[in-house]
Amino acid sequence: MMTRRLILIAVLTLAGAAPALAAPEFHAGACGFTVPDGRAATCGTVTVPENRDKPDGATVTLAVAILSTPDQLGDAPPILYLEGGPGGAAGLDPDGIARWWDLIARNDWLQKRKLVLYDQRGMGKSEPNLTCPEMIDAQIRGNGPEGDGGNAAAAIDAARACRSRWEGEGHDLTRYTTPDSARDVADLRLALGFDRWVLFGSSYGTRLALETVRRYPDGIAALILDGVYPPGESLFTASEEDDPDGDRSLQRIFAACAADTACNAAYPDLAGRYRTLLERLDDEPPTVTVERPDGGGEAELMFTGGLLAEVVFNDLYSRDDAAALPALIAGIDADRDEAYEEAAEQWLTGLLDPTIANGAYDLAECLAPDAGDLRDAPGSTCPAWPAGAADDLATQPVDSDIPALILSGGLDPVTPPAWARATASHLPNGFLVERQDQGHGLIGSDPCAETLTGKFLDAPDRQPVDACQLTPDPMRFLVNG
């Protein structure tokens, strides 16, 4: 969802398979965001071949921003951030960059180093951006009163329409894979003129970081892997209701609510009520009408148990959102219109998120050699996309002695701690930190993880330890909210 031995000959063959290409260059350009006082930013692009076997063919333009704090900058290797998704933008827009400035402001380890942000091929401000509005519209229609609940055939037809559109513009969609992006990372370091840097991957970005280490290890000083998605695993499940990792996370939230006096008093037997609620909604789904957050008018949705399960699963990513789940579930169980509307708006907001290129997501997942049964799984759109090249190497774990900090949240519903532990077992100089009461992606939400990251970067040969690891951090549930 592995042969454990790394075959060096295969690595060298794959890494050197592409023809010799001209060295990539960085072209400076304007930043589309404000730079706070005391900070600096350099923005621009790096252009690489879409298919390196056809260097005279279509190209991919990678959008780049380098953030720094000039009066504190030292000589430590810069940090390259690898966004998750797959398909997620790194935050080079005004809203996204504001979060990076905030993160830099509270962490001196980011003030002492350059932070390199870039949008991976197929997403964000890089070109092309492989978004598929056809697929989004099909999902909304499928969940409407005249829909089929997200029928697989309609979803596949929509994906095929998207594929046809992008291929009609001359793009080779077989080249939007993790190994292709790993080559981009290696080229990006050369184009920016850095001898060494630290790879900081979050979620899918950890898979990209690991694949880069496997194929292009030169110049990688250390790794930060936050919410690990290793080779050989899959993010796909037929439905959120049947997802074992999501259910593990949800049951922990239910148990924490039951152990909290106020939460348990307000929402007793929440786990049992939730199971019954899902069945009731699937049997008799109400119709909910809400405004589309993209300005596309109203959307009329059949509020099924499956739709609620998707909302609940997405809220489990963040402990703050998870803390509001008992109130949301209880509100829907009580048939409160505002609870239905809140949940429907959450579902639409996630579906219409402009920072996610859904076509790039599909390609990275469906073309992966470890996709396995994904291409034939119920609900999968993979049959609409071209088949990926055979590459057994990419299904195997990555063995490396590069120092690594491996961060995992005990409440993470999508990249469970077991994946982080398995990855750590192949990184002899890796240090695993599990934060039991945190969700998916610790840096940016868990101050303790940020502190530990700074300690790791200062001494990557030692397990980072801090008093914050011993401080209880219980859930703070929203009650009667």
Side-chain angles (χ1 to χ4, degrees):
M1 204 199 101
M2 209 160 6
T3 304
R4 295 284 181 184
R5 189 162 61 89
L6 184 65
I7 304 173
L8 180 59
I9 294 175
V11 177
L12 296 174
T13 301
L14 287 167
L21 302 172
E25 298 180 356
F26 175 72
H27 297 279
C31 294
F33 52 80
T34 300
V35 180
D37 291 341
R39 315 288 184 208
T42 301
C43 301
T45 59
V46 174
T47 298
V48 296
E50 184 175 66
N51 182 344
R52 289 181 170 88
D53 293 331
K54 299 178 180 179
D56 295 328
T59 59
V60 169
T61 301
L62 305 173
V64 182
I66 306 171
L67 312 184
S68 63
T69 306
D71 63 351
Q72 297 186 49
L73 198 60
D75 59 0
I79 297 172
L80 174 69
Y81 176 68
L82 305 173
E83 180 58 273
L92 305 183
D93 60 291
D95 289 339
I97 210 72
R99 293 189 288 274
W100 285 113
W101 293 130
D102 288 344
L103 189 67
I104 291 170
R106 65 176 185 265
N107 288 287
D108 61 358
W109 53 271
L110 282 170
Q111 297 164 22
K112 294 185 293 186
R113 299 166 173 82
K114 291 181 177 179
L115 173 64
V116 183
L117 308 175
Y118 92 107
D119 283 332
Q120 299 158 33
R121 59 170 55 206
M123 56 204 76
K125 292 187 176 297
S126 293
E127 296 178 355
N129 179 306
L130 299 179
T131 55
C132 292
E134 301 94 333
M135 294 167 62
I136 293 172
D137 290 341
Q139 280 187 268
I140 294 175
R141 287 194 305 271
N143 284 278
E146 306 302 322
D148 47 24
N151 177 274
I156 290 171
D157 286 346
R160 285 197 178 108
C162 184
R163 171 184 175 176
S164 177
R165 178 166 55 82
W166 284 113
E167 288 181 338
E169 294 183 19
H171 292 288
D172 180 355
L173 299 184
T174 67
R175 308 314 306 189
Y176 289 83
T177 68
T178 302
D180 285 296
S181 285
R183 178 67 182 271
D184 291 344
V185 172
D187 281 351
L188 195 60
R189 181 178 64 82
L190 298 177
L192 298 178
F194 296 132
D195 293 332
R196 301 166 74 239
W197 61 7
V198 175
L199 300 188
F200 163 23
S202 178
S203 193
Y204 167 78
T206 65
R207 175 171 286 200
L208 176 54
L210 289 166
E211 201 60 40
T212 305
V213 166
R214 187 204 305 277
R215 297 168 189 266
Y216 312 103
D218 291 350
I220 302 175
L223 296 171
I224 303 167
L225 305 175
D226 188 6
V228 185
Y229 179 29
E233 301 292 351
S234 175
L235 296 178
F236 180 83
T237 57
S239 77
E240 306 302 353
E241 294 174 86
D242 299 325
D243 177 58
D245 294 314
D247 186 65
R248 170 192 53 80
S249 178
L250 181 58
Q251 295 308 317
R252 288 196 61 185
I253 296 298
F254 288 156
C257 178
D260 181 281
T261 302
C263 188
N264 189 52
Y267 316 116
D269 188 26
L270 192 62
R273 292 165 64 189
Y274 179 65
R275 288 192 298 271
T276 302
L277 176 59
L278 292 179
E279 294 174 359
R280 172 163 64 85
L281 291 173
D282 279 337
D283 290 340
E284 298 180 6
T287 301
V288 181
T289 302
V290 291
E291 289 289 332
R292 289 177 50 142
D294 61 351
E298 291 185 337
E300 197 174 21
L301 303 173
M302 297 297 288
F303 201 100
T304 62
L307 190 147
L308 175 59
E310 285 189 49
V311 172
V312 168
F313 179 82
N314 290 333
D315 280 350
L316 291 170
Y317 276 58
S318 160
R319 61 179 268 133
D320 290 340
D321 292 339
L325 274 177
L328 180 66
I329 292 169
I332 293 172
D333 192 33
D335 280 327
R336 296 194 188 110
D337 289 344
E338 63 273 19
Y340 282 115
E341 290 170 5
E342 177 187 347
E345 287 169 359
Q346 284 187 38
W347 185 82
L348 276 173
T349 298
L351 184 65
L352 294 165
D353 185 349
T355 68
I356 297 292
N358 54 345
Y361 174 96
D362 266 23
L363 290 168
E365 291 293 295
C366 297
L367 272 62
D370 53 1
D373 295 335
L374 175 58
R375 297 194 65 84
D376 301 315
S380 170
T381 52
C382 289
W385 301 104
D391 184 357
D392 291 339
L393 182 67
T395 68
Q396 300 177 28
V398 174
D399 292 275
S400 173
D401 59 4
I402 293 173
L405 176 64
I406 303 142
L407 301 170
S408 181
L411 298 176
D412 190 336
V414 63
T415 57
W419 291 3
R421 295 179 206 129
T423 299
S425 71
H426 291 269
L427 302 174
N429 293 323
F431 303 104
L432 175 63
V433 173
E434 293 188 39
R435 298 281 289 153
Q436 293 303 321
D437 294 321
Q438 297 293 331
H440 180 65
L442 303 188
I443 296 176
S445 62
D446 179 16
C448 185
E450 294 173 14
T451 297
L452 294 169
T453 301
K455 289 181 175 292
F456 165 73
L457 290 173
D458 287 341
D461 59 337
R462 295 200 302 269
Q463 174 81 42
V465 177
D466 194 89
C468 65
Q469 292 166 277
L470 303 176
T471 304
D473 191 16
M475 297 285 293
R476 295 166 181 81
F477 289 101
L478 174 67
V479 175
N480 295 327

